Short mmCIF file of all heavy atoms in Angstrom, two decimals:
data_model
loop_
_atom_site.label_atom_id
_atom_site.label_comp_id
_atom_site.label_asym_id
_atom_site.label_seq_id
_atom_site.Cartn_x
_atom_site.Cartn_y
_atom_site.Cartn_z
N MET A 87 130.65 210.40 174.06
CA MET A 87 129.65 211.25 174.42
C MET A 87 129.19 210.94 175.83
O MET A 87 129.18 209.85 176.29
CB MET A 87 128.39 211.14 173.54
CG MET A 87 128.68 211.36 172.05
SD MET A 87 128.64 213.17 171.71
CE MET A 87 126.93 213.42 171.24
N LYS A 88 128.69 212.04 176.51
CA LYS A 88 128.15 211.87 177.87
C LYS A 88 126.62 212.23 177.87
O LYS A 88 126.25 213.17 177.22
CB LYS A 88 128.87 212.72 178.87
CG LYS A 88 130.32 212.21 179.18
CD LYS A 88 130.83 212.85 180.41
CE LYS A 88 132.23 212.68 180.67
NZ LYS A 88 132.71 211.25 180.58
N LEU A 89 125.92 211.53 178.70
CA LEU A 89 124.51 211.74 178.88
C LEU A 89 124.28 212.68 180.07
O LEU A 89 124.91 212.38 181.13
CB LEU A 89 123.84 210.43 178.97
CG LEU A 89 122.33 210.52 179.28
CD1 LEU A 89 121.54 211.06 178.07
CD2 LEU A 89 121.78 209.10 179.65
N VAL A 90 123.53 213.64 179.91
CA VAL A 90 123.26 214.60 181.04
C VAL A 90 121.73 214.47 181.37
O VAL A 90 120.95 214.57 180.44
CB VAL A 90 123.63 216.07 180.68
CG1 VAL A 90 123.23 216.99 181.88
CG2 VAL A 90 125.05 216.16 180.29
N HIS A 91 121.42 214.33 182.62
CA HIS A 91 120.07 214.20 183.14
C HIS A 91 119.74 215.34 184.03
O HIS A 91 120.45 215.49 185.10
CB HIS A 91 119.81 212.89 183.81
CG HIS A 91 118.50 212.76 184.43
ND1 HIS A 91 118.26 212.51 185.74
CD2 HIS A 91 117.25 213.01 183.93
CE1 HIS A 91 117.00 212.45 186.05
NE2 HIS A 91 116.35 212.78 184.90
N ASP A 92 118.81 216.16 183.74
CA ASP A 92 118.46 217.29 184.59
C ASP A 92 117.25 216.89 185.45
O ASP A 92 116.17 216.84 185.12
CB ASP A 92 118.09 218.54 183.75
CG ASP A 92 117.81 219.75 184.61
OD1 ASP A 92 117.42 219.63 185.79
OD2 ASP A 92 117.99 220.87 184.00
N ALA A 93 117.65 216.55 186.75
CA ALA A 93 116.60 216.03 187.72
C ALA A 93 115.57 217.08 188.01
O ALA A 93 114.39 216.77 188.41
CB ALA A 93 117.25 215.54 188.95
N GLU A 94 115.94 218.39 187.88
CA GLU A 94 114.93 219.48 188.12
C GLU A 94 113.73 219.37 187.06
O GLU A 94 112.59 219.69 187.31
CB GLU A 94 115.57 220.84 188.05
CG GLU A 94 116.65 221.02 189.06
CD GLU A 94 116.03 221.35 190.39
OE1 GLU A 94 115.13 222.16 190.52
OE2 GLU A 94 116.52 220.72 191.39
N LEU A 95 114.17 219.02 185.85
CA LEU A 95 113.13 219.05 184.72
C LEU A 95 112.34 217.68 184.69
O LEU A 95 111.27 217.65 184.41
CB LEU A 95 113.83 219.25 183.42
CG LEU A 95 114.39 220.67 183.17
CD1 LEU A 95 115.15 220.67 181.80
CD2 LEU A 95 113.24 221.68 183.11
N CYS A 96 113.10 216.65 185.06
CA CYS A 96 112.49 215.33 185.02
C CYS A 96 111.25 215.17 185.82
O CYS A 96 111.16 215.51 187.01
CB CYS A 96 113.43 214.25 185.36
SG CYS A 96 112.88 212.57 185.34
N GLU A 97 110.15 214.59 185.20
CA GLU A 97 108.92 214.33 185.93
C GLU A 97 108.62 212.91 185.95
O GLU A 97 107.41 212.57 186.08
CB GLU A 97 107.78 215.16 185.26
CG GLU A 97 107.94 216.70 185.60
CD GLU A 97 106.73 217.51 185.06
OE1 GLU A 97 105.99 216.97 184.26
OE2 GLU A 97 106.66 218.66 185.50
N ALA A 98 109.61 212.10 185.77
CA ALA A 98 109.48 210.62 185.90
C ALA A 98 108.38 210.08 184.89
O ALA A 98 107.57 209.15 185.35
CB ALA A 98 109.25 210.29 187.21
N HIS A 99 108.24 210.59 183.70
CA HIS A 99 107.33 210.05 182.71
C HIS A 99 107.72 208.60 182.35
O HIS A 99 106.80 207.86 181.89
CB HIS A 99 107.32 210.92 181.54
CG HIS A 99 106.66 212.26 181.79
ND1 HIS A 99 105.39 212.45 181.92
CD2 HIS A 99 107.32 213.53 181.83
CE1 HIS A 99 105.19 213.85 182.12
NE2 HIS A 99 106.28 214.39 182.08
N GLY A 100 108.92 208.33 182.36
CA GLY A 100 109.41 206.94 182.01
C GLY A 100 109.40 206.65 180.60
O GLY A 100 109.67 205.41 180.26
N VAL A 101 109.36 207.65 179.69
CA VAL A 101 109.50 207.36 178.29
C VAL A 101 110.92 206.78 177.95
O VAL A 101 111.11 205.81 177.28
CB VAL A 101 109.22 208.62 177.46
CG1 VAL A 101 109.33 208.29 175.91
CG2 VAL A 101 107.87 209.15 177.74
N CYS A 102 111.93 207.40 178.66
CA CYS A 102 113.28 206.93 178.41
C CYS A 102 113.48 205.47 178.89
O CYS A 102 114.21 204.71 178.26
CB CYS A 102 114.22 207.85 179.08
SG CYS A 102 113.94 208.00 180.88
N THR A 103 112.74 205.08 179.88
CA THR A 103 112.95 203.66 180.41
C THR A 103 112.40 202.71 179.35
O THR A 103 112.80 201.59 179.32
CB THR A 103 112.32 203.54 181.75
OG1 THR A 103 110.90 203.70 181.61
CG2 THR A 103 112.90 204.48 182.79
N ALA A 104 111.34 203.12 178.62
CA ALA A 104 110.80 202.28 177.62
C ALA A 104 111.74 202.17 176.47
O ALA A 104 111.84 201.05 175.79
CB ALA A 104 109.43 202.84 177.15
N VAL A 105 112.43 203.34 176.11
CA VAL A 105 113.21 203.26 174.91
C VAL A 105 114.57 202.50 175.22
O VAL A 105 115.02 201.74 174.33
CB VAL A 105 113.61 204.68 174.54
CG1 VAL A 105 114.60 204.78 173.40
CG2 VAL A 105 112.29 205.43 174.04
N ASP A 106 115.07 202.71 176.34
CA ASP A 106 116.38 202.07 176.69
C ASP A 106 116.40 201.55 178.19
O ASP A 106 117.07 202.26 179.06
CB ASP A 106 117.56 203.18 176.50
CG ASP A 106 118.90 202.56 176.57
OD1 ASP A 106 119.03 201.39 176.93
OD2 ASP A 106 119.83 203.36 176.26
N PRO A 107 115.73 200.43 178.38
CA PRO A 107 115.56 199.97 179.79
C PRO A 107 116.83 199.50 180.42
O PRO A 107 116.98 199.33 181.67
CB PRO A 107 114.60 198.76 179.59
CG PRO A 107 114.60 198.46 178.19
CD PRO A 107 115.01 199.66 177.39
N ASP A 108 117.96 199.29 179.62
CA ASP A 108 119.14 198.87 180.23
C ASP A 108 119.92 200.10 180.83
O ASP A 108 120.71 199.90 181.75
CB ASP A 108 120.13 198.30 179.09
CG ASP A 108 119.66 196.97 178.60
OD1 ASP A 108 118.92 196.32 179.31
OD2 ASP A 108 120.01 196.62 177.52
N ARG A 109 119.57 201.24 180.40
CA ARG A 109 120.25 202.53 180.87
C ARG A 109 119.36 203.24 181.88
O ARG A 109 119.99 203.82 182.87
CB ARG A 109 120.61 203.35 179.72
CG ARG A 109 121.45 204.57 180.07
CD ARG A 109 121.87 205.33 178.84
NE ARG A 109 122.59 204.57 177.90
CZ ARG A 109 123.95 204.45 177.84
NH1 ARG A 109 124.71 205.13 178.72
NH2 ARG A 109 124.56 203.75 177.02
N PHE A 110 118.14 203.28 181.64
CA PHE A 110 117.27 204.06 182.41
C PHE A 110 116.36 203.20 183.31
O PHE A 110 115.75 202.30 182.78
CB PHE A 110 116.33 205.03 181.67
CG PHE A 110 117.16 205.90 180.80
CD1 PHE A 110 117.34 205.66 179.39
CD2 PHE A 110 117.76 207.13 181.29
CE1 PHE A 110 118.07 206.53 178.51
CE2 PHE A 110 118.44 207.97 180.48
CZ PHE A 110 118.61 207.68 179.14
N GLU A 111 116.11 203.61 184.57
CA GLU A 111 115.14 202.84 185.43
C GLU A 111 114.56 203.90 186.45
O GLU A 111 115.23 204.73 186.85
CB GLU A 111 116.06 201.82 186.20
CG GLU A 111 115.27 200.97 187.19
CD GLU A 111 116.20 199.98 188.01
OE1 GLU A 111 117.38 199.93 187.69
OE2 GLU A 111 115.61 199.37 188.90
N LEU A 112 113.26 203.62 186.65
CA LEU A 112 112.57 204.41 187.71
C LEU A 112 112.62 203.65 189.03
O LEU A 112 112.20 202.45 189.06
CB LEU A 112 111.17 204.78 187.30
CG LEU A 112 110.95 205.84 186.21
CD1 LEU A 112 109.59 205.97 185.80
CD2 LEU A 112 111.57 207.22 186.68
N ASP A 113 113.03 204.18 190.14
CA ASP A 113 113.01 203.48 191.37
C ASP A 113 111.60 203.48 192.01
O ASP A 113 110.70 204.08 191.44
CB ASP A 113 114.14 203.97 192.29
CG ASP A 113 113.86 205.35 192.88
OD1 ASP A 113 112.61 205.86 192.75
OD2 ASP A 113 114.75 205.90 193.47
N ASP A 114 111.45 202.95 193.15
CA ASP A 114 110.16 202.81 193.83
C ASP A 114 109.52 204.13 194.13
O ASP A 114 108.33 204.24 194.39
CB ASP A 114 110.36 202.04 195.12
CG ASP A 114 110.65 200.53 194.84
OD1 ASP A 114 110.50 200.08 193.64
OD2 ASP A 114 111.12 199.90 195.76
N THR A 115 110.36 205.16 194.22
CA THR A 115 109.88 206.52 194.59
C THR A 115 109.79 207.42 193.29
O THR A 115 109.79 208.62 193.42
CB THR A 115 110.77 207.18 195.68
OG1 THR A 115 112.05 207.23 195.18
CG2 THR A 115 110.63 206.39 196.93
N ASP A 116 109.88 206.84 192.18
CA ASP A 116 109.75 207.47 190.84
C ASP A 116 110.92 208.52 190.66
O ASP A 116 110.76 209.57 190.04
CB ASP A 116 108.41 208.23 190.78
CG ASP A 116 107.37 207.30 190.06
OD1 ASP A 116 107.73 206.21 189.69
OD2 ASP A 116 106.18 207.72 190.01
N HIS A 117 112.15 208.14 191.17
CA HIS A 117 113.31 208.92 190.77
C HIS A 117 114.03 208.10 189.65
O HIS A 117 114.18 206.86 189.67
CB HIS A 117 114.23 209.03 191.97
CG HIS A 117 113.71 210.13 192.96
ND1 HIS A 117 113.16 209.80 194.10
CD2 HIS A 117 113.83 211.41 192.90
CE1 HIS A 117 112.81 210.91 194.76
NE2 HIS A 117 113.18 211.87 194.02
N LEU A 118 114.53 208.90 188.73
CA LEU A 118 115.17 208.13 187.59
C LEU A 118 116.54 207.80 187.94
O LEU A 118 117.34 208.72 188.40
CB LEU A 118 115.14 209.13 186.34
CG LEU A 118 115.71 208.43 185.13
CD1 LEU A 118 114.76 207.38 184.55
CD2 LEU A 118 116.05 209.51 184.02
N ILE A 119 116.95 206.54 187.71
CA ILE A 119 118.32 206.10 187.84
C ILE A 119 118.93 205.99 186.46
O ILE A 119 118.31 205.38 185.57
CB ILE A 119 118.37 204.75 188.61
CG1 ILE A 119 117.66 204.87 190.01
CG2 ILE A 119 119.85 204.25 188.62
CD1 ILE A 119 117.38 203.51 190.58
N VAL A 120 120.06 206.66 186.18
CA VAL A 120 120.77 206.50 184.94
C VAL A 120 122.01 205.57 185.22
O VAL A 120 122.82 206.01 186.03
CB VAL A 120 121.28 207.83 184.42
CG1 VAL A 120 121.95 207.56 183.10
CG2 VAL A 120 120.00 208.88 184.14
N HIS A 121 121.95 204.38 184.71
CA HIS A 121 122.94 203.37 185.07
C HIS A 121 124.37 203.73 184.44
O HIS A 121 125.36 203.39 185.05
CB HIS A 121 122.55 202.03 184.58
CG HIS A 121 121.45 201.46 185.42
ND1 HIS A 121 121.59 201.18 186.73
CD2 HIS A 121 120.10 201.15 185.10
CE1 HIS A 121 120.34 200.70 187.17
NE2 HIS A 121 119.42 200.76 186.21
N SER A 122 124.32 204.46 183.36
CA SER A 122 125.69 204.92 182.89
C SER A 122 125.46 206.18 182.11
O SER A 122 124.58 206.30 181.28
CB SER A 122 126.32 203.87 181.97
OG SER A 122 127.48 204.33 181.39
N ILE A 123 126.35 207.20 182.37
CA ILE A 123 126.33 208.50 181.61
C ILE A 123 127.32 208.37 180.39
O ILE A 123 127.17 209.24 179.55
CB ILE A 123 126.62 209.69 182.50
CG1 ILE A 123 128.00 209.69 182.99
CG2 ILE A 123 125.59 209.82 183.56
CD1 ILE A 123 128.50 210.94 183.58
N GLU A 124 128.18 207.41 180.40
CA GLU A 124 129.04 207.25 179.24
C GLU A 124 128.28 206.54 178.10
O GLU A 124 127.77 205.51 178.34
CB GLU A 124 130.25 206.39 179.63
CG GLU A 124 131.07 206.91 180.80
CD GLU A 124 131.86 208.17 180.36
OE1 GLU A 124 132.03 208.39 179.18
OE2 GLU A 124 132.22 208.96 181.27
N VAL A 125 128.28 207.15 176.94
CA VAL A 125 127.57 206.58 175.77
C VAL A 125 128.53 206.09 174.73
O VAL A 125 129.23 206.93 174.08
CB VAL A 125 126.56 207.61 175.18
CG1 VAL A 125 125.77 207.00 174.07
CG2 VAL A 125 125.65 208.13 176.31
N ALA A 126 128.64 204.83 174.55
CA ALA A 126 129.56 204.23 173.52
C ALA A 126 128.87 204.48 172.12
O ALA A 126 127.64 204.71 172.07
CB ALA A 126 129.64 202.75 173.73
N ALA A 127 129.69 204.48 171.16
CA ALA A 127 129.24 204.84 169.77
C ALA A 127 128.12 203.86 169.37
O ALA A 127 127.12 204.33 168.71
CB ALA A 127 130.48 204.71 168.79
N GLU A 128 128.22 202.60 169.71
CA GLU A 128 127.21 201.64 169.29
C GLU A 128 125.83 201.90 169.96
O GLU A 128 124.79 201.40 169.66
CB GLU A 128 127.61 200.15 169.50
CG GLU A 128 127.93 199.77 170.90
CD GLU A 128 129.36 199.94 171.27
OE1 GLU A 128 130.05 200.86 170.69
OE2 GLU A 128 129.89 199.25 172.16
N ASP A 129 125.82 202.61 171.13
CA ASP A 129 124.61 202.88 171.87
C ASP A 129 124.01 204.23 171.53
O ASP A 129 122.94 204.65 172.01
CB ASP A 129 124.85 202.91 173.41
CG ASP A 129 125.39 201.53 173.83
OD1 ASP A 129 124.92 200.56 173.25
OD2 ASP A 129 126.10 201.42 174.83
N LEU A 130 124.74 205.00 170.75
CA LEU A 130 124.37 206.36 170.42
C LEU A 130 122.96 206.59 169.90
O LEU A 130 122.14 207.42 170.29
CB LEU A 130 125.45 207.09 169.57
CG LEU A 130 125.38 208.62 169.57
CD1 LEU A 130 125.35 209.18 170.98
CD2 LEU A 130 126.53 209.16 168.76
N ASP A 131 122.61 205.72 168.89
CA ASP A 131 121.23 205.89 168.24
C ASP A 131 120.20 205.71 169.25
O ASP A 131 119.18 206.49 169.39
CB ASP A 131 121.09 204.82 167.18
CG ASP A 131 121.86 205.29 165.87
OD1 ASP A 131 122.38 206.43 165.85
OD2 ASP A 131 121.92 204.41 164.93
N THR A 132 120.27 204.67 170.15
CA THR A 132 119.26 204.42 171.18
C THR A 132 119.13 205.47 172.17
O THR A 132 117.98 206.02 172.48
CB THR A 132 119.62 203.07 171.94
OG1 THR A 132 119.72 202.00 170.96
CG2 THR A 132 118.46 202.70 172.88
N VAL A 133 120.34 206.07 172.57
CA VAL A 133 120.33 207.05 173.55
C VAL A 133 119.73 208.35 172.94
O VAL A 133 118.96 209.12 173.57
CB VAL A 133 121.64 207.32 174.14
CG1 VAL A 133 121.84 208.52 175.06
CG2 VAL A 133 122.13 206.12 174.91
N ARG A 134 120.10 208.65 171.73
CA ARG A 134 119.59 209.75 171.06
C ARG A 134 117.97 209.73 170.97
O ARG A 134 117.29 210.66 171.17
CB ARG A 134 120.04 209.79 169.58
CG ARG A 134 121.10 210.90 169.41
CD ARG A 134 121.35 211.12 167.93
NE ARG A 134 122.74 211.09 167.58
CZ ARG A 134 123.64 212.06 167.98
NH1 ARG A 134 123.33 213.06 168.66
NH2 ARG A 134 124.90 211.86 167.48
N GLN A 135 117.54 208.59 170.71
CA GLN A 135 116.08 208.25 170.61
C GLN A 135 115.38 208.66 171.99
O GLN A 135 114.35 209.26 172.04
CB GLN A 135 115.78 206.90 170.23
CG GLN A 135 114.34 206.55 169.77
CD GLN A 135 114.18 205.13 169.56
OE1 GLN A 135 115.05 204.43 169.14
NE2 GLN A 135 112.88 204.68 169.57
N ALA A 136 116.12 208.23 173.10
CA ALA A 136 115.59 208.49 174.48
C ALA A 136 115.62 209.97 174.65
O ALA A 136 114.61 210.51 175.23
CB ALA A 136 116.38 207.75 175.52
N VAL A 137 116.67 210.62 174.35
CA VAL A 137 116.87 212.10 174.52
C VAL A 137 115.69 212.81 173.74
O VAL A 137 115.02 213.75 174.34
CB VAL A 137 118.18 212.57 174.07
CG1 VAL A 137 118.24 214.13 173.95
CG2 VAL A 137 119.27 212.02 174.94
N GLU A 138 115.42 212.40 172.57
CA GLU A 138 114.39 213.06 171.70
C GLU A 138 113.03 212.73 172.24
O GLU A 138 112.12 213.55 171.89
CB GLU A 138 114.61 212.73 170.19
CG GLU A 138 115.90 213.39 169.68
CD GLU A 138 116.36 212.85 168.29
OE1 GLU A 138 115.53 212.11 167.75
OE2 GLU A 138 117.41 213.19 167.92
N SER A 139 112.82 211.66 172.85
CA SER A 139 111.53 211.21 173.28
C SER A 139 111.12 211.86 174.62
O SER A 139 109.93 211.80 174.94
CB SER A 139 111.49 209.72 173.52
OG SER A 139 111.84 209.04 172.29
N CYS A 140 112.07 212.38 175.35
CA CYS A 140 111.75 212.89 176.65
C CYS A 140 110.76 214.08 176.61
O CYS A 140 111.16 215.10 175.91
CB CYS A 140 113.05 213.30 177.38
SG CYS A 140 112.53 214.08 179.05
N PRO A 141 109.54 214.02 177.04
CA PRO A 141 108.67 215.15 177.04
C PRO A 141 109.03 216.48 177.77
O PRO A 141 108.45 217.46 177.58
CB PRO A 141 107.34 214.55 177.58
CG PRO A 141 107.78 213.47 178.43
CD PRO A 141 109.01 212.93 177.92
N ARG A 142 110.03 216.21 178.64
CA ARG A 142 110.42 217.37 179.46
C ARG A 142 111.83 217.95 179.07
O ARG A 142 112.33 218.89 179.66
CB ARG A 142 110.48 216.96 180.96
CG ARG A 142 109.23 216.56 181.59
CD ARG A 142 108.34 217.79 181.85
NE ARG A 142 109.10 218.61 182.90
CZ ARG A 142 108.93 219.93 183.03
NH1 ARG A 142 108.06 220.60 182.28
NH2 ARG A 142 109.61 220.53 184.00
N GLN A 143 112.39 217.48 178.04
CA GLN A 143 113.66 217.86 177.58
C GLN A 143 114.69 217.82 178.75
O GLN A 143 115.54 218.69 178.94
CB GLN A 143 113.80 219.26 176.94
CG GLN A 143 113.09 219.35 175.55
CD GLN A 143 111.56 219.52 175.54
OE1 GLN A 143 111.09 220.34 176.33
NE2 GLN A 143 110.89 218.67 174.84
N ALA A 144 114.55 216.73 179.51
CA ALA A 144 115.43 216.60 180.69
C ALA A 144 116.70 215.82 180.39
O ALA A 144 117.58 215.68 181.26
CB ALA A 144 114.64 215.86 181.82
N LEU A 145 116.81 215.32 179.16
CA LEU A 145 117.96 214.59 178.84
C LEU A 145 118.71 215.33 177.63
O LEU A 145 118.12 215.85 176.77
CB LEU A 145 117.61 213.18 178.30
CG LEU A 145 116.91 212.23 179.28
CD1 LEU A 145 116.45 211.08 178.60
CD2 LEU A 145 117.87 211.89 180.44
N SER A 146 120.06 215.33 177.68
CA SER A 146 120.85 215.82 176.65
C SER A 146 122.17 215.18 176.51
O SER A 146 122.56 214.36 177.44
CB SER A 146 121.13 217.30 176.86
OG SER A 146 121.74 217.59 178.13
N LEU A 147 122.78 215.33 175.40
CA LEU A 147 124.11 214.65 175.12
C LEU A 147 125.13 215.74 175.01
O LEU A 147 124.98 216.84 174.47
CB LEU A 147 124.03 213.94 173.80
CG LEU A 147 123.37 212.55 173.86
CD1 LEU A 147 123.00 212.01 172.42
CD2 LEU A 147 124.20 211.51 174.64
N GLN A 148 126.35 215.49 175.53
CA GLN A 148 127.49 216.39 175.51
C GLN A 148 128.66 215.67 175.01
O GLN A 148 128.81 214.52 175.30
CB GLN A 148 127.88 216.95 176.89
CG GLN A 148 126.98 218.02 177.41
CD GLN A 148 127.45 218.60 178.75
OE1 GLN A 148 128.34 218.05 179.33
NE2 GLN A 148 126.79 219.59 179.21
N GLU A 149 129.62 216.43 174.22
CA GLU A 149 130.76 215.80 173.77
C GLU A 149 131.69 215.38 174.86
O GLU A 149 131.74 216.08 175.92
CB GLU A 149 131.53 216.78 172.87
CG GLU A 149 130.79 217.03 171.58
CD GLU A 149 130.81 215.89 170.53
OE1 GLU A 149 131.67 214.98 170.80
OE2 GLU A 149 129.88 215.81 169.73
S1 SF4 B 434 111.50 210.52 179.74
FE1 SF4 B 434 112.41 212.43 180.56
S2 SF4 B 434 110.87 213.18 182.16
FE2 SF4 B 434 110.48 210.98 181.79
S3 SF4 B 434 111.73 209.82 183.22
FE3 SF4 B 434 112.95 210.03 181.40
S4 SF4 B 434 114.18 211.87 181.72
FE4 SF4 B 434 112.52 211.90 183.13
#
């Protein structure tokens, strides 16, 4: 699975960084850095939680 981040929708709420701090990080200017868009099977539950937690629906998963 691949993670898709829509920067137009993202408002840097940072919920995703709290759910999965290894993958998501806000930089000094409040831009979201996604460290990897490749989602391994063992990481899928955590990434799904981040996707579902985003208040802007800025994250999605694709096959
Ligand atoms: S939770 Fe959503 S809006 Fe907030 S930083 Fe993450 S992707 Fe952006």
Side-chain angles (χ1 to χ4, degrees):
M87 300 280 268
K88 284 195 192 315
L89 177 66
V90 180
H91 172 236
D92 187 332
E94 297 283 314
L95 290 175
C96 179
E97 290 183 344
H99 292 284
V101 182
C102 57
T103 65
V105 173
D106 191 352
D108 291 336
R109 186 174 302 267
F110 301 101
E111 181 182 354
L112 287 173
D113 71 10
D114 293 342
T115 57
D116 271 355
H117 284 102
L118 185 71
I119 301 163
V120 181
H121 290 294
S122 175
I123 63 164
E124 299 291 340
V125 182
E128 62 266 28
D129 297 331
L130 196 51
D131 283 351
T132 305
V133 173
R134 258 195 228 287
Q135 195 182 336
V137 168
E138 289 167 8
S139 300
C140 175
R142 295 284 297 154
Q143 288 84 50
L145 300 171
S146 57
L147 283 164
Q148 281 184 352
E149 293 290 340

